[in-house]
Amino acid sequence: MSNVAELARLVEAGENVKAVAEAERLFLSGVSVQNILTEGLVAALRALSHKCTTENFQLLDVLLASRAMVEVIDQVVAQEIENGMDRIAAMHEARMDGDNCKKTLVIGTIEGDVHDLGKHLVATVSRISGIRVVNLGKDVPPQAFVDAAVRERAHIIGVSSLMTVCLPSINKIRPLAEKSGISPVIVAGGAAAQQVEKGYLDVDYVAFDVFDGLNYFTKLPYLS
Ligand code: B12
């Protein structure tokens, strides 16, 4: 059997080696990157929600699935996009044009939140699409986003949040940026951010997934 549901099953079960092999098979049989990411990887992780609550936290299961997902992204998906075997850019009008090369994205997961798989995926896909990416990691204070944006002359700040309680920290980024004399485009993503409006977070855009985010980054004009 070689299908996306099987990949999702393997990732959910934490079978990293088999998941990598299954993803390779799926690409060879012509399945798209978007399908593999959405139906295979993200769906598998989301299916583990019930094992990741305050009452029921099955850490090992979730971490093994997380590892399997990262290995599929780093060993197969990144390679696949780089090889240009899948027309991800064309599909999402995210062209690897000259302008992307001039854009710098500073990205991180907001303070208090250690979820970094979605952010890792966005960083990987953006980098491959020609955007210069500075990955600040997880549990990043608002001021650290701004300091990095100043230091790196970043055009875009990408902030991820999967924890509802951490959302209020996102609102601090814009005033801190203005205080530092910069006005970057601020884009939020992640399961918690997606549940609120951009005005609530004081950001320019809330992306519903990696492709939506990349499409938005790519359409932004380059500001010198
Ligand atoms: C894996 C996981 C973990 C792992 C994280 C491993 C890691 N290295 O990231 C571990 C085990 C560490 C973990 C810990 C906890 N977790 Co957890 N976790 C998850 C789980 C199951 C999957 C998340 C995931 O990685 N999905 C796959 C990625 C690829 O998807 P994604 O992040 O949504 O990203 C996509 C888009 O959103 C978008 N995107 C994301 N960020 C950005 C940013 C930008 C700029 C853009 C453009 C796009 C973008 O792109 C991605 C691809 O399309 C979710 C369930 C869920 N429904 O999300 C719970 C979940 C997020 N966790 C939850 C909880 C409660 C916890 C804990 C508090 C549990 C505990 N008892 O301690 C701790 C939190 C610790 C902390 N302070 O952060 C809750 C949060 C509830 C809430 N609303 O606040 C969830 C929703 C589960 C639930 N109960 O429903 N968790």
Side-chain angles (χ1 to χ4, degrees):
M1 175 161 82
S2 175
N3 61 45
V4 184
E6 174 63 2
L7 173 64
R9 190 194 67 75
L10 290 168
V11 171
E12 196 179 331
E15 297 265 17
N16 54 323
V17 177
K18 288 182 183 166
V20 166
E22 185 64 21
E24 280 167 350
R25 268 196 294 278
L26 288 168
F27 279 127
L28 284 175
S29 65
V31 178
S32 72
V33 165
Q34 186 179 28
N35 211 346
I36 288 190
L37 289 181
T38 311
E39 310 296 327
L41 304 183
V42 176
L45 266 293
R46 291 206 171 148
L48 286 168
S49 289
H50 67 287
K51 291 188 176 182
C52 197
T53 64
T54 316
E55 305 75 33
N56 179 25
F57 192 27
Q58 296 181 40
L59 183 60
L60 184 60
D61 285 359
V62 183
L63 288 182
L64 288 175
S66 303
R67 181 184 66 174
M69 175 176 177
V70 170
E71 289 188 9
V72 171
I73 292 170
D74 291 353
Q75 296 176 31
V76 192
V77 176
Q79 193 60 49
E80 187 68 16
I81 299 172
E82 217 151 3
N83 289 346
M85 286 162 71
D86 194 282
R87 299 269 53 93
I88 186 171
M91 261 163 41
H92 299 281
E93 298 167 34
R95 291 187 177 73
M96 294 172 68
D97 56 19
D99 269 4
N100 265 355
C101 305
K102 300 177 200 157
K103 291 174 188 158
T104 295
L105 165 70
V106 160
I107 190 166
T109 303
I110 196 71
E111 182 173 47
D113 189 342
V114 303
H115 296 89
D116 66 355
L117 301 178
K119 184 260 304 163
H120 176 70
L121 189 50
V122 176
T124 303
V125 173
S126 301
R127 190 175 287 123
I128 293 166
S129 301
I131 295 171
R132 180 172 166 260
V133 178
V134 179
N135 191 338
L136 303 177
K138 56 199 173 192
D139 192 13
V140 180
Q143 185 66 54
F145 281 95
V146 173
D147 291 345
V150 171
R151 190 179 62 242
E152 305 290 343
R153 296 172 181 270
H155 177 213
I156 315 162
I157 289 179
V159 53
S160 182
S161 182
L162 277 77
M163 298 281 298
T164 313
V165 291
C166 301
L167 291 178
S169 292
I170 296 179
N171 293 59
K172 297 179 186 160
I173 297 176
R174 194 184 301 281
L176 288 169
E178 282 169 1
K179 220 171 144 187
S180 296
I182 58 167
S183 36
V185 174
I186 306 173
V187 180
Q194 282 163 33
Q195 284 168 26
V196 294
E197 298 291 323
K198 65 178 185 177
Y200 178 85
L201 298 173
D202 196 4
V203 298
D204 296 287
Y205 192 66
V206 178
F208 65 85
D209 69 11
V210 57
F211 304 109
D212 186 31
L214 181 62
N215 199 22
Y216 185 80
F217 299 155
T218 303
K219 283 183 176 159
L220 288 172
Y222 171 64
L223 306 173
S224 56

